[in-house]
Amino acid sequence: MADAEQLRQAAHRVEKWSVGWTLLSLALWGWFGYRLLRDDDQGYGTQGEDGNALVGILALAVVPTIIAAATIVYAQVLFRLARQAGPVVE
């Protein structure tokens, strides 16, 4: 039964990390969207360095999105393992 409680605690900890990664990825996607819409007025191919900045921001947004998705899945797996390990005894 102690194993189930340890799995639940680990799942809650990973779930908190997934929320953090999700918020970071949303902020970066918002930044990318803002820059894309702001630069869209100038037309594609005319921004020069701004186009490179957009690609960089896009790359920065993709990485925490993948990490957020992985941590969400990992937390769900831990919760299911805890559920299969047995009920909580208090």
Side-chain angles (χ1 to χ4, degrees), residues 3-38:
D3 291 337
E5 183 59 30
Q6 289 175 344
L7 285 172
R8 279 186 190 81
Q9 289 175 357
H12 284 294
R13 188 171 43 252
V14 171
E15 190 175 42
K16 288 177 187 176
W17 276 100
S18 71
V19 169
W21 283 110
T22 302
L23 292 174
L24 177 63
S25 68
L26 287 173
L28 288 170
W29 280 108
W31 184 29
F32 173 74
Y34 167 74
R35 290 289 304 260
L36 181 66
L37 291 175
R38 190 187 73 177

Side-chain angles (χ1 to χ4, degrees), residues 23-74:
L23 292 174
L24 177 63
S25 68
L26 287 173
L28 288 170
W29 280 108
W31 184 29
F32 173 74
Y34 167 74
R35 290 289 304 260
L36 181 66
L37 291 175
R38 190 187 73 177
D39 292 344
D40 194 29
D41 293 338
Q42 299 171 359
Y44 289 110
T46 60
Q47 53 267 64
E49 288 184 15
D50 287 340
N52 293 337
L54 279 174
V55 171
I57 295 169
L58 178 62
L60 284 175
V62 168
V63 172
T65 302
I66 293 169
I67 294 171
T71 55
I72 289 169
V73 170
Y74 184 54

